[in-house]
Amino acid sequence: DAGVTQSPTHLIKTRGQQVTLRCSPKSGHDTVSWYQQALGQGPQFIFQYYEEEERQRGNFPDRFSGHQFPNYSSELNVNALLLGDSALYLCASSRKLAGGLNHETQYFGPGTRLLVL
Amino acid sequence: GQQVMQIPQYQHVQEGEDFTTYCNSSTTLSNIQWYKQRPGGHPVFLIQLVKSGEVKKQKRLTFQFGEAKKNSSLHITATQTTDVGTYFCAGVRGSQGNLIFGKGTKLSVKP
């Protein structure tokens, strides 16, 4: 049973470029959340996808967008990269519980380390 | 906005000493989760607390959730070098599902 996988593991980009990060959730999970973790900080919530729609969004600009596919995998896109976008990008998957309450544990992937020069 | 504060930021202990990290939320949480992140790694789920006043134990680790569901703590008894890492609490508010992380407590253990 594979856990959460992410690709690529590392990425180097220059300012102004665009990047796409990918995530495959844990088997049986249907919800994918993306987090940004700057060095020495806790992860910050970017957005969450369920049923191929963005359901919640944190305090991130529109340069950050995403997508979820029918197989529950997800992509995070960041346009017009800034130096401050350098961080570890974490994907977490979970399963939506009946009744709309999402108390299911979120499992994190290994992350993608993005460096913007 | 909603915040989760975590203290201390750093803790250096001698192997065998105890360690505690505290987490406090500005708003009532529906549940709180604890994660451990080793250097260069990703957050690994430790436990979830849901009920007011809940206490859970995992071997040398004891987790508590406050009566008002606004604060939590993680206590490690007799630390070992394998306990090294950053411990994060993450609160969930209502049915939103997204985790609100504290800044973490970085634990170092001197053998």
Side-chain angles (χ1 to χ4, degrees), chain B residues 6-35:
Chain B
Q6 192 173 353
I7 58 169
Q9 189 175 358
Y10 301 96
Q11 187 77 53
H12 309 282
V13 300
Q14 192 76 34
E15 190 173 21
E17 291 182 338
D18 291 356
F19 159 77
T20 305
T21 173
Y22 301 90
C23 195
N24 190 59
S25 168
S26 57
T27 58
T28 301
L29 302 170
S30 61
N31 72 82
I32 194 160
Q33 300 176 22
W34 285 90
Y35 291 81

PDB file of all heavy atoms in Angstrom, chain B residues 6-35:
ATOM      1  N   GLN B   6       2.930  27.910  19.662  1.00  0.00           N
ATOM      2  CA  GLN B   6       3.601  26.755  20.247  1.00  0.00           C
ATOM      3  C   GLN B   6       4.881  27.207  20.932  1.00  0.00           C
ATOM      4  O   GLN B   6       5.661  27.969  20.355  1.00  0.00           O
ATOM      5  CB  GLN B   6       3.907  25.724  19.148  1.00  0.00           C
ATOM      6  CG  GLN B   6       4.339  24.381  19.671  1.00  0.00           C
ATOM      7  CD  GLN B   6       4.477  23.337  18.572  1.00  0.00           C
ATOM      8  OE1 GLN B   6       4.128  23.558  17.415  1.00  0.00           O
ATOM      9  NE2 GLN B   6       4.995  22.182  18.931  1.00  0.00           N
ATOM     10  N   ILE B   7       5.093  26.737  22.146  1.00  0.00           N
ATOM     11  CA  ILE B   7       6.314  27.057  22.885  1.00  0.00           C
ATOM     12  C   ILE B   7       6.851  25.819  23.589  1.00  0.00           C
ATOM     13  O   ILE B   7       6.091  24.891  23.888  1.00  0.00           O
ATOM     14  CB  ILE B   7       6.063  28.171  23.945  1.00  0.00           C
ATOM     15  CG1 ILE B   7       4.962  27.749  24.932  1.00  0.00           C
ATOM     16  CG2 ILE B   7       5.755  29.498  23.281  1.00  0.00           C
ATOM     17  CD1 ILE B   7       4.871  28.670  26.135  1.00  0.00           C
ATOM     18  N   PRO B   8       8.162  25.759  23.845  1.00  0.00           N
ATOM     19  CA  PRO B   8       9.168  26.714  23.397  1.00  0.00           C
ATOM     20  C   PRO B   8       9.532  26.487  21.942  1.00  0.00           C
ATOM     21  O   PRO B   8       9.101  25.510  21.340  1.00  0.00           O
ATOM     22  CB  PRO B   8      10.351  26.388  24.311  1.00  0.00           C
ATOM     23  CG  PRO B   8      10.224  24.916  24.539  1.00  0.00           C
ATOM     24  CD  PRO B   8       8.733  24.660  24.624  1.00  0.00           C
ATOM     25  N   GLN B   9      10.313  27.371  21.362  1.00  0.00           N
ATOM     26  CA  GLN B   9      10.729  27.215  19.971  1.00  0.00           C
ATOM     27  C   GLN B   9      11.838  26.178  19.872  1.00  0.00           C
ATOM     28  O   GLN B   9      11.898  25.427  18.909  1.00  0.00           O
ATOM     29  CB  GLN B   9      11.198  28.557  19.419  1.00  0.00           C
ATOM     30  CG  GLN B   9      11.454  28.538  17.929  1.00  0.00           C
ATOM     31  CD  GLN B   9      11.803  29.925  17.395  1.00  0.00           C
ATOM     32  OE1 GLN B   9      11.815  30.900  18.139  1.00  0.00           O
ATOM     33  NE2 GLN B   9      12.072  30.003  16.103  1.00  0.00           N
ATOM     34  N   TYR B  10      12.691  26.181  20.894  1.00  0.00           N
ATOM     35  CA  TYR B  10      13.797  25.221  20.946  1.00  0.00           C
ATOM     36  C   TYR B  10      13.877  24.622  22.349  1.00  0.00           C
ATOM     37  O   TYR B  10      13.543  25.282  23.325  1.00  0.00           O
ATOM     38  CB  TYR B  10      15.142  25.885  20.636  1.00  0.00           C
ATOM     39  CG  TYR B  10      15.239  26.542  19.297  1.00  0.00           C
ATOM     40  CD1 TYR B  10      14.998  27.906  19.157  1.00  0.00           C
ATOM     41  CD2 TYR B  10      15.554  25.812  18.152  1.00  0.00           C
ATOM     42  CE1 TYR B  10      15.089  28.522  17.923  1.00  0.00           C
ATOM     43  CE2 TYR B  10      15.645  26.426  16.920  1.00  0.00           C
ATOM     44  CZ  TYR B  10      15.403  27.784  16.811  1.00  0.00           C
ATOM     45  OH  TYR B  10      15.483  28.388  15.574  1.00  0.00           O
ATOM     46  N   GLN B  11      14.336  23.388  22.425  1.00  0.00           N
ATOM     47  CA  GLN B  11      14.562  22.751  23.710  1.00  0.00           C
ATOM     48  C   GLN B  11      15.752  21.813  23.582  1.00  0.00           C
ATOM     49  O   GLN B  11      15.765  20.922  22.719  1.00  0.00           O
ATOM     50  CB  GLN B  11      13.329  21.968  24.157  1.00  0.00           C
ATOM     51  CG  GLN B  11      13.424  21.400  25.565  1.00  0.00           C
ATOM     52  CD  GLN B  11      13.192  22.451  26.626  1.00  0.00           C
ATOM     53  OE1 GLN B  11      12.203  23.155  26.626  1.00  0.00           O
ATOM     54  NE2 GLN B  11      14.138  22.554  27.544  1.00  0.00           N
ATOM     55  N   HIS B  12      16.746  22.080  24.434  1.00  0.00           N
ATOM     56  CA  HIS B  12      17.920  21.213  24.451  1.00  0.00           C
ATOM     57  C   HIS B  12      17.909  20.446  25.768  1.00  0.00           C
ATOM     58  O   HIS B  12      17.858  21.064  26.832  1.00  0.00           O
ATOM     59  CB  HIS B  12      19.202  22.047  24.345  1.00  0.00           C
ATOM     60  CG  HIS B  12      19.181  23.020  23.204  1.00  0.00           C
ATOM     61  ND1 HIS B  12      19.408  22.649  21.913  1.00  0.00           N
ATOM     62  CD2 HIS B  12      18.950  24.358  23.179  1.00  0.00           C
ATOM     63  CE1 HIS B  12      19.315  23.719  21.128  1.00  0.00           C
ATOM     64  NE2 HIS B  12      19.039  24.763  21.874  1.00  0.00           N
ATOM     65  N   VAL B  13      17.961  19.138  25.699  1.00  0.00           N
ATOM     66  CA  VAL B  13      17.925  18.334  26.921  1.00  0.00           C
ATOM     67  C   VAL B  13      19.042  17.302  26.907  1.00  0.00           C
ATOM     68  O   VAL B  13      19.583  16.954  25.846  1.00  0.00           O
ATOM     69  CB  VAL B  13      16.576  17.615  27.099  1.00  0.00           C
ATOM     70  CG1 VAL B  13      15.434  18.624  27.184  1.00  0.00           C
ATOM     71  CG2 VAL B  13      16.331  16.608  26.000  1.00  0.00           C
ATOM     72  N   GLN B  14      19.378  16.848  28.105  1.00  0.00           N
ATOM     73  CA  GLN B  14      20.308  15.738  28.253  1.00  0.00           C
ATOM     74  C   GLN B  14      19.487  14.461  28.105  1.00  0.00           C
ATOM     75  O   GLN B  14      18.330  14.392  28.571  1.00  0.00           O
ATOM     76  CB  GLN B  14      20.951  15.797  29.640  1.00  0.00           C
ATOM     77  CG  GLN B  14      22.134  14.882  29.845  1.00  0.00           C
ATOM     78  CD  GLN B  14      23.400  15.395  29.186  1.00  0.00           C
ATOM     79  OE1 GLN B  14      23.625  16.604  29.115  1.00  0.00           O
ATOM     80  NE2 GLN B  14      24.213  14.491  28.704  1.00  0.00           N
ATOM     81  N   GLU B  15      20.071  13.468  27.483  1.00  0.00           N
ATOM     82  CA  GLU B  15      19.369  12.192  27.336  1.00  0.00           C
ATOM     83  C   GLU B  15      18.902  11.701  28.700  1.00  0.00           C
ATOM     84  O   GLU B  15      19.669  11.720  29.671  1.00  0.00           O
ATOM     85  CB  GLU B  15      20.290  11.152  26.694  1.00  0.00           C
ATOM     86  CG  GLU B  15      19.573   9.871  26.293  1.00  0.00           C
ATOM     87  CD  GLU B  15      20.482   8.944  25.498  1.00  0.00           C
ATOM     88  OE1 GLU B  15      21.708   9.087  25.585  1.00  0.00           O
ATOM     89  OE2 GLU B  15      19.947   8.069  24.790  1.00  0.00           O
ATOM     90  N   GLY B  16      17.646  11.290  28.763  1.00  0.00           N
ATOM     91  CA  GLY B  16      17.085  10.829  30.028  1.00  0.00           C
ATOM     92  C   GLY B  16      16.204  11.871  30.709  1.00  0.00           C
ATOM     93  O   GLY B  16      15.389  11.530  31.582  1.00  0.00           O
ATOM     94  N   GLU B  17      16.375  13.135  30.320  1.00  0.00           N
ATOM     95  CA  GLU B  17      15.527  14.191  30.886  1.00  0.00           C
ATOM     96  C   GLU B  17      14.168  14.180  30.189  1.00  0.00           C
ATOM     97  O   GLU B  17      14.005  13.648  29.096  1.00  0.00           O
ATOM     98  CB  GLU B  17      16.197  15.555  30.718  1.00  0.00           C
ATOM     99  CG  GLU B  17      17.431  15.736  31.569  1.00  0.00           C
ATOM    100  CD  GLU B  17      18.045  17.126  31.417  1.00  0.00           C
ATOM    101  OE1 GLU B  17      17.792  17.774  30.383  1.00  0.00           O
ATOM    102  OE2 GLU B  17      18.764  17.551  32.326  1.00  0.00           O
ATOM    103  N   ASP B  18      13.209  14.822  30.833  1.00  0.00           N
ATOM    104  CA  ASP B  18      11.883  14.925  30.246  1.00  0.00           C
ATOM    105  C   ASP B  18      11.780  16.166  29.354  1.00  0.00           C
ATOM    106  O   ASP B  18      12.582  17.099  29.459  1.00  0.00           O
ATOM    107  CB  ASP B  18      10.830  15.018  31.357  1.00  0.00           C
ATOM    108  CG  ASP B  18      10.689  13.727  32.146  1.00  0.00           C
ATOM    109  OD1 ASP B  18      11.355  12.724  31.782  1.00  0.00           O
ATOM    110  OD2 ASP B  18       9.916  13.716  33.123  1.00  0.00           O
ATOM    111  N   PHE B  19      10.773  16.173  28.495  1.00  0.00           N
ATOM    112  CA  PHE B  19      10.563  17.273  27.549  1.00  0.00           C
ATOM    113  C   PHE B  19       9.071  17.520  27.399  1.00  0.00           C
ATOM    114  O   PHE B  19       8.281  16.574  27.349  1.00  0.00           O
ATOM    115  CB  PHE B  19      11.173  16.890  26.197  1.00  0.00           C
ATOM    116  CG  PHE B  19      10.615  17.663  25.018  1.00  0.00           C
ATOM    117  CD1 PHE B  19      11.016  18.967  24.781  1.00  0.00           C
ATOM    118  CD2 PHE B  19       9.707  17.077  24.146  1.00  0.00           C
ATOM    119  CE1 PHE B  19      10.510  19.677  23.693  1.00  0.00           C
ATOM    120  CE2 PHE B  19       9.197  17.774  23.056  1.00  0.00           C
ATOM    121  CZ  PHE B  19       9.601  19.077  22.829  1.00  0.00           C
ATOM    122  N   THR B  20       8.689  18.802  27.360  1.00  0.00           N
ATOM    123  CA  THR B  20       7.287  19.146  27.139  1.00  0.00           C
ATOM    124  C   THR B  20       7.184  20.311  26.166  1.00  0.00           C
ATOM    125  O   THR B  20       7.936  21.274  26.262  1.00  0.00           O
ATOM    126  CB  THR B  20       6.590  19.539  28.457  1.00  0.00           C
ATOM    127  OG1 THR B  20       6.735  18.501  29.419  1.00  0.00           O
ATOM    128  CG2 THR B  20       5.103  19.771  28.220  1.00  0.00           C
ATOM    129  N   THR B  21       6.259  20.222  25.237  1.00  0.00           N
ATOM    130  CA  THR B  21       5.948  21.315  24.341  1.00  0.00           C
ATOM    131  C   THR B  21       4.467  21.644  24.481  1.00  0.00           C
ATOM    132  O   THR B  21       3.642  20.737  24.656  1.00  0.00           O
ATOM    133  CB  THR B  21       6.312  21.001  22.876  1.00  0.00           C
ATOM    134  OG1 THR B  21       5.829  22.046  22.021  1.00  0.00           O
ATOM    135  CG2 THR B  21       5.743  19.685  22.409  1.00  0.00           C
ATOM    136  N   TYR B  22       4.161  22.946  24.404  1.00  0.00           N
ATOM    137  CA  TYR B  22       2.812  23.416  24.656  1.00  0.00           C
ATOM    138  C   TYR B  22       2.254  24.127  23.429  1.00  0.00           C
ATOM    139  O   TYR B  22       2.953  24.844  22.731  1.00  0.00           O
ATOM    140  CB  TYR B  22       2.800  24.393  25.836  1.00  0.00           C
ATOM    141  CG  TYR B  22       3.310  23.810  27.118  1.00  0.00           C
ATOM    142  CD1 TYR B  22       4.665  23.893  27.450  1.00  0.00           C
ATOM    143  CD2 TYR B  22       2.457  23.169  28.003  1.00  0.00           C
ATOM    144  CE1 TYR B  22       5.142  23.354  28.635  1.00  0.00           C
ATOM    145  CE2 TYR B  22       2.927  22.631  29.196  1.00  0.00           C
ATOM    146  CZ  TYR B  22       4.272  22.728  29.502  1.00  0.00           C
ATOM    147  OH  TYR B  22       4.746  22.192  30.669  1.00  0.00           O
ATOM    148  N   CYS B  23       0.968  23.958  23.246  1.00  0.00           N
ATOM    149  CA  CYS B  23       0.299  24.495  22.077  1.00  0.00           C
ATOM    150  C   CYS B  23      -0.959  25.228  22.541  1.00  0.00           C
ATOM    151  O   CYS B  23      -1.705  24.711  23.372  1.00  0.00           O
ATOM    152  CB  CYS B  23      -0.068  23.306  21.186  1.00  0.00           C
ATOM    153  SG  CYS B  23      -0.526  23.713  19.540  1.00  0.00           S
ATOM    154  N   ASN B  24      -1.182  26.433  22.014  1.00  0.00           N
ATOM    155  CA  ASN B  24      -2.360  27.202  22.420  1.00  0.00           C
ATOM    156  C   ASN B  24      -3.018  27.835  21.207  1.00  0.00           C
ATOM    157  O   ASN B  24      -2.339  28.462  20.385  1.00  0.00           O
ATOM    158  CB  ASN B  24      -1.949  28.286  23.425  1.00  0.00           C
ATOM    159  CG  ASN B  24      -3.151  28.948  24.052  1.00  0.00           C
ATOM    160  OD1 ASN B  24      -3.979  28.292  24.675  1.00  0.00           O
ATOM    161  ND2 ASN B  24      -3.261  30.245  23.899  1.00  0.00           N
ATOM    162  N   SER B  25      -4.331  27.686  21.105  1.00  0.00           N
ATOM    163  CA  SER B  25      -5.073  28.242  19.986  1.00  0.00           C
ATOM    164  C   SER B  25      -5.897  29.446  20.431  1.00  0.00           C
ATOM    165  O   SER B  25      -6.377  29.503  21.556  1.00  0.00           O
ATOM    166  CB  SER B  25      -5.999  27.175  19.404  1.00  0.00           C
ATOM    167  OG  SER B  25      -6.918  27.736  18.497  1.00  0.00           O
ATOM    168  N   SER B  26      -6.065  30.388  19.526  1.00  0.00           N
ATOM    169  CA  SER B  26      -6.879  31.572  19.817  1.00  0.00           C
ATOM    170  C   SER B  26      -8.377  31.255  19.723  1.00  0.00           C
ATOM    171  O   SER B  26      -9.215  32.022  20.188  1.00  0.00           O
ATOM    172  CB  SER B  26      -6.525  32.719  18.875  1.00  0.00           C
ATOM    173  OG  SER B  26      -6.678  32.319  17.522  1.00  0.00           O
ATOM    174  N   THR B  27      -8.692  30.129  19.095  1.00  0.00           N
ATOM    175  CA  THR B  27     -10.090  29.731  18.943  1.00  0.00           C
ATOM    176  C   THR B  27     -10.261  28.265  19.337  1.00  0.00           C
ATOM    177  O   THR B  27      -9.296  27.508  19.383  1.00  0.00           O
ATOM    178  CB  THR B  27     -10.578  29.912  17.499  1.00  0.00           C
ATOM    179  OG1 THR B  27      -9.748  29.136  16.632  1.00  0.00           O
ATOM    180  CG2 THR B  27     -10.530  31.366  17.070  1.00  0.00           C
ATOM    181  N   THR B  28     -11.468  27.879  19.629  1.00  0.00           N
ATOM    182  CA  THR B  28     -11.769  26.488  19.970  1.00  0.00           C
ATOM    183  C   THR B  28     -11.525  25.596  18.764  1.00  0.00           C
ATOM    184  O   THR B  28     -11.876  25.936  17.631  1.00  0.00           O
ATOM    185  CB  THR B  28     -13.230  26.358  20.431  1.00  0.00           C
ATOM    186  OG1 THR B  28     -13.437  27.208  21.561  1.00  0.00           O
ATOM    187  CG2 THR B  28     -13.541  24.920  20.821  1.00  0.00           C
ATOM    188  N   LEU B  29     -10.919  24.462  19.023  1.00  0.00           N
ATOM    189  CA  LEU B  29     -10.580  23.527  17.957  1.00  0.00           C
ATOM    190  C   LEU B  29     -11.511  22.324  17.988  1.00  0.00           C
ATOM    191  O   LEU B  29     -11.951  21.904  19.058  1.00  0.00           O
ATOM    192  CB  LEU B  29      -9.136  23.062  18.114  1.00  0.00           C
ATOM    193  CG  LEU B  29      -8.082  24.164  18.100  1.00  0.00           C
ATOM    194  CD1 LEU B  29      -6.725  23.601  18.515  1.00  0.00           C
ATOM    195  CD2 LEU B  29      -7.985  24.789  16.720  1.00  0.00           C
ATOM    196  N   SER B  30     -11.787  21.763  16.835  1.00  0.00           N
ATOM    197  CA  SER B  30     -12.568  20.520  16.813  1.00  0.00           C
ATOM    198  C   SER B  30     -11.670  19.329  17.139  1.00  0.00           C
ATOM    199  O   SER B  30     -12.111  18.357  17.743  1.00  0.00           O
ATOM    200  CB  SER B  30     -13.241  20.325  15.453  1.00  0.00           C
ATOM    201  OG  SER B  30     -12.280  20.238  14.440  1.00  0.00           O
ATOM    202  N   ASN B  31     -10.424  19.413  16.732  1.00  0.00           N
ATOM    203  CA  ASN B  31      -9.457  18.405  17.136  1.00  0.00           C
ATOM    204  C   ASN B  31      -8.062  18.962  16.958  1.00  0.00           C
ATOM    205  O   ASN B  31      -7.878  20.011  16.325  1.00  0.00           O
ATOM    206  CB  ASN B  31      -9.629  17.089  16.361  1.00  0.00           C
ATOM    207  CG  ASN B  31      -9.195  17.181  14.907  1.00  0.00           C
ATOM    208  OD1 ASN B  31      -8.023  17.070  14.585  1.00  0.00           O
ATOM    209  ND2 ASN B  31     -10.157  17.395  14.018  1.00  0.00           N
ATOM    210  N   ILE B  32      -7.106  18.308  17.550  1.00  0.00           N
ATOM    211  CA  ILE B  32      -5.716  18.734  17.401  1.00  0.00           C
ATOM    212  C   ILE B  32      -4.883  17.506  17.069  1.00  0.00           C
ATOM    213  O   ILE B  32      -5.144  16.408  17.561  1.00  0.00           O
ATOM    214  CB  ILE B  32      -5.204  19.450  18.661  1.00  0.00           C
ATOM    215  CG1 ILE B  32      -3.902  20.184  18.361  1.00  0.00           C
ATOM    216  CG2 ILE B  32      -5.029  18.487  19.831  1.00  0.00           C
ATOM    217  CD1 ILE B  32      -3.581  21.283  19.352  1.00  0.00           C
ATOM    218  N   GLN B  33      -3.908  17.700  16.210  1.00  0.00           N
ATOM    219  CA  GLN B  33      -3.053  16.605  15.789  1.00  0.00           C
ATOM    220  C   GLN B  33      -1.607  16.981  16.067  1.00  0.00           C
ATOM    221  O   GLN B  33      -1.246  18.150  16.034  1.00  0.00           O
ATOM    222  CB  GLN B  33      -3.273  16.328  14.302  1.00  0.00           C
ATOM    223  CG  GLN B  33      -4.733  15.950  14.004  1.00  0.00           C
ATOM    224  CD  GLN B  33      -5.031  15.759  12.543  1.00  0.00           C
ATOM    225  OE1 GLN B  33      -4.160  15.499  11.740  1.00  0.00           O
ATOM    226  NE2 GLN B  33      -6.312  15.878  12.178  1.00  0.00           N
ATOM    227  N   TRP B  34      -0.796  15.979  16.337  1.00  0.00           N
ATOM    228  CA  TRP B  34       0.615  16.184  16.590  1.00  0.00           C
ATOM    229  C   TRP B  34       1.431  15.447  15.544  1.00  0.00           C
ATOM    230  O   TRP B  34       1.106  14.306  15.186  1.00  0.00           O
ATOM    231  CB  TRP B  34       0.993  15.692  17.990  1.00  0.00           C
ATOM    232  CG  TRP B  34       0.543  16.624  19.077  1.00  0.00           C
ATOM    233  CD1 TRP B  34      -0.642  16.594  19.743  1.00  0.00           C
ATOM    234  CD2 TRP B  34       1.278  17.714  19.633  1.00  0.00           C
ATOM    235  NE1 TRP B  34      -0.704  17.608  20.670  1.00  0.00           N
ATOM    236  CE2 TRP B  34       0.484  18.310  20.632  1.00  0.00           C
ATOM    237  CE3 TRP B  34       2.551  18.247  19.396  1.00  0.00           C
ATOM    238  CZ2 TRP B  34       0.900  19.405  21.386  1.00  0.00           C
ATOM    239  CZ3 TRP B  34       2.972  19.335  20.147  1.00  0.00           C
ATOM    240  CH2 TRP B  34       2.144  19.909  21.129  1.00  0.00           C
ATOM    241  N   TYR B  35       2.470  16.120  15.073  1.00  0.00           N
ATOM    242  CA  TYR B  35       3.356  15.566  14.061  1.00  0.00           C
ATOM    243  C   TYR B  35       4.804  15.712  14.516  1.00  0.00           C
ATOM    244  O   TYR B  35       5.149  16.631  15.239  1.00  0.00           O
ATOM    245  CB  TYR B  35       3.192  16.307  12.720  1.00  0.00           C
ATOM    246  CG  TYR B  35       1.865  16.061  12.036  1.00  0.00           C
ATOM    247  CD1 TYR B  35       0.724  16.765  12.418  1.00  0.00           C
ATOM    248  CD2 TYR B  35       1.754  15.132  11.008  1.00  0.00           C
ATOM    249  CE1 TYR B  35      -0.494  16.536  11.789  1.00  0.00           C
ATOM    250  CE2 TYR B  35       0.542  14.898  10.366  1.00  0.00           C
ATOM    251  CZ  TYR B  35      -0.566  15.605  10.768  1.00  0.00           C
ATOM    252  OH  TYR B  35      -1.771  15.378  10.136  1.00  0.00           O
TER     253      TYR B  35
END
